Amino acid sequence: MNPEDPTGLTNDLESLLNPVITLARSAGDEILAVYDSDFAVQHKDDDSPLTAADLASHHAIVAGLRALSPDLPILSEESAPPEFATRARWRRYWLIDPLDGTKEFVRRSGEFTVNIALIEDQQPVLGVVYTPVQRLTYAGARGVGAFKLLDDQAREPIHVRPLANGAVTVVGSKSHGTEELNAYLKRLGEHQLRSMGSSLKFCLVAEGAADLYPRLGPTCEWDTAAAQAVVEAAGGRVTDLEMNPLRYNTKASLLNPHFFVFGDPRGQWDRYLTH
């Protein structure tokens, strides 16, 4: 056994995709059971909402991942993170957001997802994003490519699109608009803005339905990892505002820097920032 890879997963990302998709769907079923009920809403210390669906999904995913890969650590939004001194030793681990877009869940908009990512050497190498209401899966892995999957239909490969002449299609948050973003969009010039909840914004870029998602507001690492893996497997990029790839578990804080998600680097998206 390779001591650097006790689980034997490094070169086996494709074989992991179906089990992780199945797990995300099972978590989605747990979410929908709550969604269809008269659920209560609590609030965490940071005032973000929490429901029984977040916790039911968390428990389902953690149990499934422990069965799939018992030696790999799991970091979830709904569990207390270990100290960085411990996390810094992790070369490979699962990073999950059991219910991304809880505000949209509470609004019953349907725009919420289950996010499961595998991180290796600070990079997301596999990601599954599942939308329970639409029963639509976006998935991708390094060296495998990206695809979307409706129910049990055939995989449909997806890829980012090149920039075309005319207005840029930008996707933005329904719940987290900022003055900084508004100023950026004014400098960007002609564009069409689509508002979307959760990590589905990444997926629109990944499947070539949008050109750019500029996130000029706070997010955490579990919000972005799975969808970043999908975007990168689809040929796109996720970078900080200095155009460096977004990386994970590099510091004590689990907050991300502001970032761009895009398909075509010819856009030079950082030139519309104020410095």
Side-chain angles (χ1 to χ4, degrees):
M1 179 180 291
N2 182 349
E4 289 296 313
D5 184 17
T7 59
L9 295 178
T10 301
N11 299 313
D12 207 19
L13 296 177
E14 185 166 14
S15 69
L16 280 172
L17 279 169
N18 281 339
V20 176
I21 289 169
T22 298
L23 182 53
R25 288 174 168 178
S26 296
D29 290 341
E30 297 286 342
I31 290 171
L32 290 180
V34 178
Y35 193 61
D36 294 333
S37 71
D38 185 17
F39 57 85
V41 181
Q42 304 175 35
H43 287 84
K44 304 178 191 178
D45 292 341
D46 64 359
D47 205 36
S48 61
L50 176 69
T51 72
D54 298 80
L55 299 177
S57 177
H58 164 80
H59 292 305
I61 295 170
V62 169
L65 291 177
R66 284 178 176 160
L68 181 63
S69 54
D71 295 327
L72 287 188
I74 301 169
L75 181 58
S76 168
E77 179 180 8
E78 306 308 337
S79 60
E83 295 292 331
F84 182 61
T86 298
R87 287 191 286 114
R89 297 194 294 269
W90 295 354
R91 183 182 168 218
R92 187 183 301 109
Y93 66 100
W94 296 104
L95 180 57
I96 65 174
D97 189 343
L99 202 172
D100 181 37
T102 303
K103 288 183 179 179
E104 299 304 320
F105 177 88
V106 172
R107 292 171 184 160
R108 299 185 189 273
S109 75
E111 293 177 2
F112 52 87
T113 60
V114 176
N115 298 348
I116 305 176
L118 179 65
I119 309 296
E120 186 169 313
D121 295 330
Q122 302 175 340
Q123 303 170 59
V125 296
L126 178 149
V128 171
V129 176
Y130 177 62
T131 61
V133 171
Q134 291 83 12
R135 299 192 61 80
L136 179 64
T137 304
Y138 292 90
R142 180 170 296 176
V144 177
F147 58 90
K148 63 182 181 180
L149 178 65
L150 181 62
D151 282 326
D152 293 318
Q153 297 177 15
R155 294 182 179 184
E156 179 183 341
I158 59 174
H159 201 276
V160 298
R161 70 185 185 190
L163 278 175
N165 294 328
V168 173
T169 301
V170 181
V171 63
S173 175
K174 277 189 171 179
S175 305
H176 301 285
T178 65
E179 292 295 329
E180 189 175 359
L181 175 61
N182 292 335
Y184 178 86
L185 293 177
K186 286 183 180 179
R187 292 188 294 273
L188 179 64
E190 184 182 3
H191 66 276
Q192 298 175 339
L193 180 64
R194 295 183 62 179
S195 295
M196 183 71 64
S198 74
S199 56
L200 290 170
K201 295 182 285 293
F202 285 75
C203 297
L204 290 181
V205 175
E207 68 177 334
D211 300 298
L212 172 67
Y213 167 31
R215 182 56 183 242
L216 306 180
T219 58
C220 290
E221 294 186 1
W222 44 69
D223 295 316
T224 58
Q228 179 176 345
V230 175
V231 169
E232 292 179 345
R237 295 183 62 196
V238 181
T239 72
D240 63 22
L241 300 190
E242 296 180 349
M243 309 307 285
N244 299 310
L246 205 62
R247 292 293 179 251
Y248 294 82
N249 201 32
T250 63
K251 60 190 186 309
S253 171
L254 289 165
L255 289 173
N256 287 319
H258 295 180
F259 60 83
F260 296 122
V261 181
F262 55 92
D264 192 333
R266 292 179 299 167
Q268 298 180 326
W269 307 111
D270 57 331
R271 64 181 167 154
Y272 303 104
L273 296 166
T274 55
H275 297 285

